Structures are given as C-alpha cells and as structure tokens.
Amino acid sequence: MAKWPIGVFASVDAGLGVHLDVAQELGIPTVQVHAPHQETRTPEVAAEFLGKCQAAGIAITAVFGGFEGESYADIETTARTVGLVPQDTRAARLQEMKEISDFAKLLGCDTIALHIGFVPEEGDDYSSLLDVTRDLLDHAKANGQQLNLETGQESAEHLLKFIADVDRDNLFINFDPANMILYGTGDPIEALKQVGSFVRSIHCKDGTWAADGKRGVEWGQEVALGDGDVGMETYLRTLSELGYTGPLTIEREIAEDRDRQKKDIGTAVRLLEELREKIG
Ligand code: MG
C-alpha cells in the first residue's frame, strides 16, 4: 500500500461512522469498521460486507469494538460506561470482544481496536484489567491479530505504563489527536511523540479545548478537520518523522447530521490529500 492512503471510520450497521457507500462515493480506499451488533455479527453478514468492500476496492484496516450500554454523554459518564474498565460488564464484554476478534478474522482483518476505558491507577482494579487485556490479546493472537488501543482517556505516560505492564507483543495504539484535546489529557503532538513507537493506526479528527479550568471535566468540542486545535500539518509532519506510513483514517462524529458529516469528510479528504502531497 502506498504511504498514507486515505481512510474513513465506517460502520456495518451500528450507527457509528459513515455507511460504506459514502466511502465508495468519495473514492476512499480504506475503512476502519465499527463492529456490528451481536445479532448481526454472523458469517453471512461478514461475507456480504467483505464482498461489498472488495467490489468497491476498499480495504478494511481495523475493526473497532463497541458495546451496548456505552455512553459518551459527558466525561464522567464515559468513564463509568465505556470499554472493559467497568467491573459489572467486564466479563461479558471480554467475551463479546473475543467474538468481535473472530468477526474481524472473517473480514480478513489483522487489527482489532477498542476504547478500553479510563485505565485506573495502580491497584486491584488495574491488575485485573491487565489480566483481562492479556486474555483478549491471547485470543487475538490466535486469530493472527493485534489490538490497537484508542488514545485520549488517559495521559500518554499512563498508557505507556499500561502497555508495558500488559507485556504482550500484539498490543499497540490507535492514535486520536482530537481525543487528547476533548478529554483534556494532554497536548496531542507531544503525546504522539511519546507513544510514537506503538502507533499502528491513527484517526484524523480535530477538536477544540474546553475552557480553562474545565479541561478534563467538560468535553472540548469536536469540529471539522482543520478547524480545531490539533494542527493537521504539524500532526502529519510528526507522523512522517515517526515513520508512520499507514492509513489516514478520518473520523467525524456527527452521525446525527449525515449530510454535514459527508460534506465535512469530503473537505477532510481534500485537506489530507493536499498535506500528503506537500509532506508525504
Ligand atoms: Mg477516534
């Protein structure tokens, strides 16, 4: 694959991300896919979706897990409901994530990805999260896959410590610069430099910081690519310096306004193509 193919976050049926026809219409050659709901996570659905992608010349570069009961309503709710961190749903979600790994294998995809949740500070909860993550990684490994953790819910330092403590060779990072801003967890470019050696996939997403004194408490604002505080040119230059050549996967999280979402993604494609020409 040539350096930096454009990508977009798409969905099979779960509502997050654009539908495949948008990627097709915009001529986007790669997608990351949000895994479908449990009842549609079948070999038939996988074969049909894979067939559509192949017919359109679209490569599936990662399959993202997501779960019923997750809510990104505000930062506190996100911490309470998202990923493998919440204790009461952990066992069931671990099982489900293994099924998503199996579904990704049916799609011929070697990468699963996840918002694991807000990784806790060291203690019992942290130790048990290490065990759950190793369990998932061993399952993924048997499927020939790596797991890329989405960034943003903890600092770069804490994420690096977690990865080191898990101590498996198939755990990496999906870097999302806007999340560092939206969650108020650190300067995205500095964070990228810190975790660079683990970055295997990325999101091209933009955002503006919450007001002073509210960072990490209230959401920043997700905005169209190029309109926020990430600095797309610096972001891509930093990725280039780190030797990242993988897909530039656009994520625009306004599923409630499909027309605007499509328009913004089209604009993002042009911006990334210009920057790729200039830098890549
Ligand atoms: Mg993201």
Side-chain angles (χ1 to χ4, degrees):
M1 208 179 269
K3 184 180 177 181
W4 291 354
I6 307 292
V8 68
F9 196 80
S11 72
V12 178
D13 70 357
L16 287 177
V18 299
H19 288 289
L20 197 62
D21 53 0
V22 174
Q24 205 171 346
E25 229 177 289
L26 295 172
I28 296 174
T30 77
V31 289
Q32 288 187 351
V33 175
H34 191 249
H37 293 299
Q38 200 158 22
E39 58 275 18
T40 42
R41 219 179 291 134
T42 63
E44 293 74 25
V45 168
E48 191 193 338
F49 189 76
L50 183 59
K52 276 189 205 165
C53 287
Q54 286 170 338
I58 296 173
I60 303 167
T61 59
V63 176
F64 262 77
F67 310 103
E68 289 294 327
E70 292 186 324
S71 168
Y72 292 86
D74 52 49
I75 291 179
E76 185 278 325
T77 307
T78 305
R80 191 163 41 78
T81 65
V82 166
L84 298 178
V85 172
Q87 286 281 5
D88 51 345
T89 51
R90 190 180 280 180
R93 287 179 176 180
L94 171 63
Q95 178 53 34
E96 202 176 342
M97 199 58 208
K98 289 180 181 175
E99 292 166 17
I100 288 170
S101 162
D102 297 344
F103 185 80
K105 189 182 181 190
L106 294 174
L107 294 175
C109 187
D110 67 1
T111 302
I112 54 171
L114 179 68
H115 268 290
I116 201 165
F118 286 62
V119 174
E121 295 301 322
E122 246 174 310
D124 290 349
D125 203 22
Y126 182 82
S127 303
S128 61
L129 185 65
L130 292 177
D131 290 337
V132 163
T133 307
R134 290 181 190 124
D135 190 343
L136 174 59
L137 285 165
D138 294 344
H139 185 93
K141 182 121 181 168
N143 279 337
Q145 294 162 338
Q146 61 185 23
L147 168 66
N148 293 359
L149 296 180
E150 174 88 349
T151 56
Q153 297 173 339
E154 48 283 309
S155 66
E157 293 82 1
H158 197 45
L159 187 58
L160 285 175
K161 176 179 165 40
F162 180 71
I163 290 172
D165 289 345
V166 170
D167 195 24
R168 288 289 189 277
D169 63 6
N170 59 332
L171 182 59
F172 296 101
I173 287 174
N174 182 85
F175 192 83
D176 185 323
N179 281 353
M180 305 303 296
I181 291 175
L182 299 176
Y183 289 90
T185 40
D187 176 83
I189 305 300
E190 289 312 309
L192 175 59
K193 288 176 183 167
Q194 277 177 274
V195 302
S197 63
F198 288 100
V199 173
R200 290 292 185 280
S201 58
I202 64 147
H203 285 161
C204 290
K205 190 171 92 186
D206 216 340
T208 55
W209 294 96
D212 276 346
K214 300 284 187 188
R215 289 181 186 182
V217 182
E218 286 179 11
W219 284 127
Q221 173 76 43
E222 194 233 340
V223 298
L225 203 73
D227 290 349
D229 294 328
V230 170
M232 277 303 137
E233 182 162 346
T234 310
Y235 180 48
L236 293 196
R237 283 191 190 282
T238 308
L239 286 168
S240 194
E241 283 160 21
L242 291 166
Y244 178 82
T245 58
L248 306 178
T249 304
I250 299 161
E251 191 180 25
R252 183 69 173 112
E253 301 182 300
I254 45 168
E256 68 288 353
D257 187 348
R258 293 285 180 193
D259 290 341
R260 171 136 180 251
Q261 188 186 43
K262 187 172 160 185
K263 180 174 156 287
D264 286 354
I265 289 168
T267 308
V269 169
R270 288 188 291 279
L271 173 65
L272 292 174
E273 285 174 345
E274 273 171 39
L275 289 171
R276 185 176 59 186
E277 184 69 33
K278 191 169 162 186
I279 301 165

